[in-house]
Amino acid sequence: VKHPLQNEWSFWMFTNREKDNWEANLVEMVSFDTVEDYWCLYHHMKTPSELDKGQDYLVFKKGIRPMWEDMGNKSGGRWLLMLDGVKPGYMDSIWSDVVLLLIGVNFEHSDEINGVVVNIRDKNKISIWMRSINRKAIVEVGRKLRVRFRLPCRIHFYKHNSSTALYSF
Ligand code: M7G
């Protein structure tokens, strides 16, 4: 018997092959809705630190495309975890922990969380995307991330397409 998750999730990849069209790089690889299917996937995929620079992994609730323009995302924003100075192995473990926190519904406001992204860049980043700018939900999620992970700097919440932090912890 497999253990069902509360939501179905899609695993996307940003391939960084199409230089002129951001959206054309997004590939929905597979979806999963049980704990066992997630672990099977996890053991078959590269970890984030094994990806090429310029690539992303994105895990979003099924039906929400991992872009600002999606109806589910456009009124929301993200908690941004800057990982410069974080060792690759610790980045991989933050990524897998955040995915587990999301799919395991470990937040009071899990319904407000749409997905999570890891960007492999000169300065790697993980962001947790939220559907709205509901203060209670943002604060709960930000506090938990701050307490759970040992990061070299503060974390900030931004509305999509804005560079002004609404909240910082
Ligand atoms: P990034 O990959 O999130 O971070 O955004 P980076 O700057 O560290 O590489 C890079 C660029 O990709 C943005 O400036 C946009 O041009 C494009 N881009 C990223 N996202 C998340 C979106 C999106 O949701 N929609 C659209 N249209 N473009 C995006």
Side-chain angles (χ1 to χ4, degrees):
V1 179
K2 290 187 183 178
H3 298 77
L5 299 172
Q6 187 159 313
N7 297 97
E8 185 169 9
W9 298 82
S10 289
F11 207 123
W12 299 72
M13 174 144 195
F14 183 86
T15 60
N16 199 30
R17 287 197 199 113
E18 302 283 336
K19 299 297 175 196
D20 304 323
N21 181 352
W22 180 84
E23 197 180 339
N25 286 282
L26 281 180
V27 180
E28 185 171 4
M29 295 190 291
V30 60
S31 45
F32 58 92
D33 63 0
T34 69
V35 176
E36 289 78 3
D37 289 349
Y38 172 68
W39 282 119
C40 181
L41 256 180
Y42 174 82
H43 289 298
H44 283 90
M45 309 245 291
K46 291 181 176 176
T47 63
S49 65
E50 294 169 331
L51 296 178
D52 294 332
K53 196 186 287 180
Q55 296 188 318
D56 306 334
Y57 272 159
L58 317 92
V59 173
F60 273 72
K61 284 178 181 161
K62 176 122 184 148
I64 301 178
R65 294 173 57 76
M67 48 199 298
W68 315 315
E69 295 87 346
D70 189 277
M71 286 297 288
N73 291 319
K74 67 177 194 181
S75 312
R78 61 176 180 160
W79 274 109
L80 179 60
L81 281 52
M82 297 293 302
L83 304 180
D84 33 323
V86 170
K87 295 205 173 96
Y90 192 47
M91 170 175 72
D92 290 345
S93 99
I94 296 174
W95 166 253
S96 67
D97 281 4
V98 172
V99 172
L100 288 175
L101 285 171
L102 261 54
I103 69 180
V105 191
N106 285 286
F107 297 94
E108 233 173 278
H109 294 91
S110 286
D111 56 320
E112 289 273 339
I113 302 176
N114 286 346
V116 55
V117 181
V118 59
N119 305 113
I120 304 306
R121 303 288 187 273
D122 286 326
K123 295 181 173 186
N124 299 326
K125 297 174 277 185
I126 287 180
S127 23
I128 290 79
W129 286 36
M130 308 204 44
R131 63 175 297 106
S132 76
I133 51 168
N134 172 330
R135 193 186 69 82
K136 276 193 175 163
I138 293 169
V139 167
E140 186 219 352
V141 171
R143 281 217 175 99
K144 289 201 171 143
L145 295 170
R146 188 77 190 116
V147 169
R148 175 106 178 195
F149 303 111
R150 207 162 273 290
L151 295 168
C153 39
R154 281 152 63 82
I155 64 173
H156 303 285
F157 183 90
Y158 302 92
K159 281 186 68 164
H160 291 310
N161 262 321
S162 155
S163 54
T164 315
L166 284 187
Y167 299 93
S168 301
F169 279 134

